[in-house]
């Protein structure tokens, strides 16, 4: 069992244990297990643990192709799941868009202000003045009852079908960089227009996330596949690590999303 943990970071142990419990539940009960909305790092952990040869299989779905946050369905290998098994609904926000501008941050804050943890809803989608967000069907009635305004703006919610979903494809711009070390502050100061000191300050002020979790250690060591977001500057991911140079610097291929 300990061999599993060595492949992941120490702070991921709790989630790994949860995945193992889900796997055991499906194996023992011969029944499917549907998760909340998970981030890509958590989904990667599930894939790594379940593997391709287990009696337990998995599928992921977040409402549309390319969704960032998705529900994962773990199920016995003899079942054939359908889209409806993911129990996903889509809500669109009706608000006075001619007079008010709402952002992703406003919607996120309002959803969490009614008691929802981040894993209880999926992606928030904005296309010009249209805003939609994806939720578990079991939370539909609660959210419709509780979410009446965003900030000081009164809103109405309407459920929409999958074919009405607005989507925006993410475009990652790849580039090759050389960094002095794999420390978080070193990578930030190379990839983004930040000094090393500014990068350290932003990390210490909880403005930086790695794999959707706040990181406050400037010496945090990054790994291949990590997604790093910096408030106000955008997001990057470490696509590949191409080894070290003769001067012991690291060559990385990173993707930039702004």
């Amino acid at each position: 069992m300990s061999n599993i943990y060595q492949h992941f970071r120490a702070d991921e142990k709790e989630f790994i244990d949860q995945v193992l419990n889900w796997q055991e539940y499906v194996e023992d009960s011969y029944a499917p297990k549907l998760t909340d909305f998970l981030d890509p790092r958590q989904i990667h952990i599930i894939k790594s643990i379940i593997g391709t040869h287990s009696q337990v299989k998995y599928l992921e779905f977040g409402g549309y192709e390319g969704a960032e946050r998705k529900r994962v369905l773990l199920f016995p290998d003899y079942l054939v799941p359908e889209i409806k098994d993911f129990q996903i609904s889509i809500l669109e926000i009706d608000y006075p868009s001619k007079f008010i501008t709402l952002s992703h941050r406003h919607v996120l804050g309002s959803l969490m202000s009614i008691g929802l943890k981040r894993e209880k809803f999926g992606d928030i989608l904005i296309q010009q003045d249209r805003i939609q967000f994806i939720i578990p069907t079991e939370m539909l009635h609660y959210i419709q009852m509780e979410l009446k305004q965003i900030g000081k703006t009164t809103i109405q919610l309407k459920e929409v079908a999958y074919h009405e979903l607005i989507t925006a494809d993410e475009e990652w711009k790849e580039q090759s960089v050389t960094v002095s070390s794999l420390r978080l502050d070193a990578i930030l100061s190379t990839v983004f227009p930040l000094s090393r000191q500014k990068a350290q300050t932003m990390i210490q002020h909880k403005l930086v996330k790695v794999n959707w979790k706040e990181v406050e250690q400037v010496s945090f060591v990054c790994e291949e596949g990590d997604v790093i977001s910096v408030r106000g500057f955008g997001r990057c991911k470490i696509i590949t690590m191409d080894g070290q140079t003769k001067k012991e610097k690291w060559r990385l291929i990173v993707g930039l999303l702004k």
Side-chain angles (χ1 to χ4, degrees):
M1 187 68 69
S2 60
N3 290 337
I4 293 178
Y5 301 120
Q6 69 182 7
H7 298 293
F8 304 96
R9 293 190 171 106
D11 63 354
E12 294 174 327
K13 182 180 182 299
E14 183 178 351
F15 183 72
I16 292 168
D17 289 340
Q18 189 174 45
V19 174
L20 292 171
N21 287 335
W22 291 339
Q23 183 180 27
E24 184 178 2
Y25 168 80
V26 176
E27 289 173 340
D28 293 345
S29 66
Y30 302 102
K33 170 64 182 179
L34 181 62
T35 73
D36 289 328
F37 285 92
L38 306 180
D39 64 47
R41 177 63 182 178
Q42 292 172 316
I43 294 172
H44 167 73
I45 292 173
I46 289 179
K47 291 178 178 179
S48 300
I49 292 174
I50 302 299
T52 56
H53 303 291
S54 171
Q55 292 180 339
V56 176
K57 303 299 180 184
Y58 65 87
L59 285 175
E60 57 192 272
F61 184 60
Y64 66 100
E65 185 176 355
E68 181 174 273
R69 292 181 176 269
K70 304 175 186 177
R71 304 192 85 173
V72 175
L73 185 69
L74 305 175
F75 56 95
D77 55 6
Y78 61 83
L79 286 184
V80 181
E82 300 178 8
I83 290 297
K84 65 180 182 180
D85 295 325
F86 288 90
Q87 300 177 36
I88 285 176
S89 297
I90 305 160
L91 286 173
E92 182 159 344
I93 301 173
D94 186 7
Y95 68 104
S97 56
K98 290 184 179 180
F99 309 102
I100 299 293
T101 299
L102 297 180
S103 67
H104 184 283
R105 176 173 56 87
H106 295 135
V107 180
L108 176 64
S110 295
L111 286 168
M112 299 187 78
S113 72
I114 62 171
L116 296 182
K117 295 183 178 180
R118 187 59 188 90
E119 62 268 21
K120 290 300 182 183
F121 54 95
D123 289 1
I124 298 169
L125 304 168
I126 299 178
Q127 187 181 81
Q128 296 179 350
D129 59 356
R130 293 185 67 191
I131 303 175
Q132 298 174 346
F133 57 95
I134 299 170
I135 61 169
T137 301
E138 62 266 26
M139 299 295 295
L140 178 62
H141 180 69
Y142 174 81
I143 294 172
Q144 288 176 320
M145 290 291 294
E146 295 295 324
L147 189 60
K148 301 293 187 182
Q149 63 182 48
I150 295 178
K152 297 181 179 180
T153 304
T154 300
I155 66 163
Q156 291 184 327
L157 298 174
K158 62 176 181 180
E159 187 176 4
V160 299
Y162 285 118
H163 71 270
E164 299 175 89
L165 190 68
I166 57 175
T167 59
D169 294 332
E170 293 184 340
E171 293 186 8
W172 293 87
K173 181 181 179 182
E174 293 188 14
Q175 66 181 54
S176 177
V177 299
T178 303
V179 295
S180 58
S181 79
L182 298 177
R183 284 171 47 126
L184 180 58
D185 59 342
I187 291 177
L188 291 188
S189 64
T190 301
V191 175
F192 296 100
L194 293 169
S195 67
R196 188 77 170 259
Q197 183 177 5
K198 177 67 173 178
Q200 292 174 350
T201 300
M202 296 192 73
I203 294 168
Q204 292 166 346
H205 283 76
K206 301 182 180 181
L207 300 177
V208 177
K209 292 182 179 181
V210 179
N211 299 327
W212 298 269
K213 293 181 180 178
E214 290 179 353
V215 174
E216 298 178 59
Q217 296 174 299
V218 297
S219 60
F220 180 91
V221 178
C222 298
E223 300 176 359
E224 186 171 288
D226 282 350
V227 177
I228 305 167
S229 58
V230 185
R231 189 179 302 176
F233 288 86
R235 186 184 299 179
C236 76
K237 63 180 176 181
I238 302 174
I239 299 173
T240 58
M241 292 182 175
D242 292 336
Q244 290 181 284
T245 67
K246 292 180 180 180
K247 295 183 178 180
E248 297 186 344
K249 292 187 176 182
W250 287 90
R251 290 188 296 262
L252 308 178
I253 302 297
V254 300
L256 269 173
L257 177 69
K258 293 189 175 180

